Amino acid sequence: MPGGRLTQQERQQIALGMADGLAYAEIARRLDRPTSTVTREVMRNGGPTAYRADLAHRATERRRAQRRRPAAPRGPEAPPQAHGRDAEAVREYQETYTTVLMASGMPKMTARVLACLTLTDSGSLTASELARHLQVSPPSISKAIAFLDGQGLVRRERDERRRERYVVDDDVWYQSMMASARATAHLVEVARQGVGVLGPQTPAATRLENIARFVDFVSESIVRAAEQAREILHTKPEAAPADTADTADTAAPGSGRG
C-alpha cells in the first residue's frame, strides 16, 4: 500500500534490509514504497547507523498523537500556496529535500533552514519568518544561519524596513562545491606532508601519496566542472503558460535580482 503509513512490520523490514547492507532503493522496492519514504523514515529516526524499528515506530506514534492535539492555526502554512500548489505535497517534499541534505552530512536544523529558503519563490526570508515556517525558536534559526553563512550557502541583506533577510543565492551550489574543493586541497597538502614524515617509498608514505594524487585529481575535476556549469545556476525560466510556471525551478530564487 504505497500511499499508507508505514507499519511496524515494514519498519522491521527496513531495519533488516539496512543490516543486510541493502540500498534505500532496494528496500523501497521490496516494500513497494517510494525510495524517498524509506530515506525519510531512516533519517528522521536516527540515521543509517542508529535506526531501530521499535524506537522509530514509537516515535512516529508520539508525533501522530501530538498532531491530534488541539492547536492554534499554523501561521504561514495555513494560507493557500502560490501558483495553486498543493500545500501538503509541498510540505512532504520539503521533508524529503531536508532528508537528502541531512544525508550529505548537514545538521538537521541547518538542513531544514536551507530547504525552507530554497523552496520559497523569493529565496529570501527573515529570522521571524523562518521561525514561523519551521515552528522553532529564533535562537535555533540564528545558529543554523551562522553555519550556512560561514559555508557561503546563504547571504545576509537588509530590506526596505531595515530587517535582516537571509537569501539563498543563485550561486549556492557553486559556492558549496568550491568550499568542498578547498577542504580537499587541504587534505592533499596534509597527506603530502605525511610522505616526508614517514619516508618516501615506504608503504605508509606510498599510501598517503596515492591518496593525495587521487583526491587532487577528483578535486580538480570538480572545480573544472563547476566552473563550466556555473551558468546553469543563473538560468531564468522562460515565459510559459501558468501551469508550466507552477513547476519553475525553485533553486534560482529572486529572479528580480541581477
Side-chain angles (χ1 to χ4, degrees):
M1 53 177 185
R5 297 180 184 278
L6 285 170
T7 65
Q8 188 164 15
Q9 183 179 9
E10 286 178 314
R11 289 190 168 95
Q12 290 169 349
Q13 289 179 264
I14 290 173
L16 289 172
M18 295 184 62
D20 289 339
L22 300 180
Y24 292 150
E26 176 59 20
I27 297 173
R29 187 188 66 77
R30 295 185 180 191
L31 294 176
D32 192 23
R33 294 279 191 172
T35 302
S36 60
T37 297
V38 175
T39 305
R40 186 166 59 244
E41 165 69 15
V42 173
M43 297 306 299
R44 176 187 284 171
N45 295 288
T49 60
Y51 182 79
R52 287 268 305 278
D54 53 344
L55 296 179
H57 193 72
R58 286 200 293 270
T60 301
E61 291 301 313
R62 284 197 301 271
R63 288 192 294 265
R64 194 179 303 170
Q66 289 171 352
R67 285 197 293 266
R68 285 197 292 263
R69 294 174 188 167
R74 299 177 69 183
E77 296 182 356
Q81 289 278 323
H83 306 290
R85 294 170 179 140
D86 183 319
E88 183 63 17
V90 171
R91 185 192 66 78
E92 289 185 359
Y93 176 74
Q94 185 165 320
E95 283 192 16
T96 299
Y97 191 83
T98 299
T99 299
V100 171
L101 292 174
M102 290 168 59
S104 71
M106 190 173 289
K108 182 176 181 179
M109 182 52 62
T110 305
R112 293 187 69 199
V113 169
L114 182 58
C116 189
L117 282 168
T118 301
L119 301 183
T120 57
D121 286 312
S122 66
S124 169
L125 293 169
T126 65
S128 60
E129 288 169 341
L130 279 165
R132 286 199 303 271
H133 272 288
L134 299 175
Q135 299 290 292
V136 297
S137 65
S140 299
I141 298 297
S142 178
K143 185 176 180 180
I145 288 295
F147 177 89
L148 292 169
D149 188 22
Q151 296 295 312
L153 296 175
V154 300
R155 57 185 171 83
R156 304 167 190 256
E157 60 182 34
R158 297 280 179 179
D159 62 17
E160 64 281 357
R161 295 168 58 184
R162 304 301 299 163
R163 297 177 305 177
E164 187 171 72
R165 302 189 70 86
Y166 309 120
V167 182
V168 60
D169 199 271
D170 290 350
D171 255 350
V172 61
W173 292 108
Y174 171 80
Q175 296 298 342
S176 177
M177 292 293 182
M178 292 300 103
S180 176
R182 287 191 293 272
T184 54
H186 183 60
L187 173 59
V188 171
E189 179 184 349
V190 171
R192 286 189 167 140
Q193 287 175 1
V195 173
V197 172
L198 298 171
Q201 310 305 317
T202 64
T206 300
R207 185 179 303 114
L208 280 176
E209 177 60 29
N210 289 342
I211 290 171
R213 290 172 57 204
F214 171 80
V215 173
D216 195 26
F217 179 83
V218 172
S219 179
E220 286 186 4
S221 299
I222 289 174
V223 170
R224 186 163 54 250
E227 292 286 1
Q228 292 171 347
R230 188 176 186 181
E231 64 183 45
I232 294 173
L233 293 169
H234 298 274
T235 303
K236 303 301 179 184
E238 298 178 0
D243 58 340
T244 303
D246 288 349
T247 57
D249 179 12
T250 57
S255 58
R257 296 194 306 271

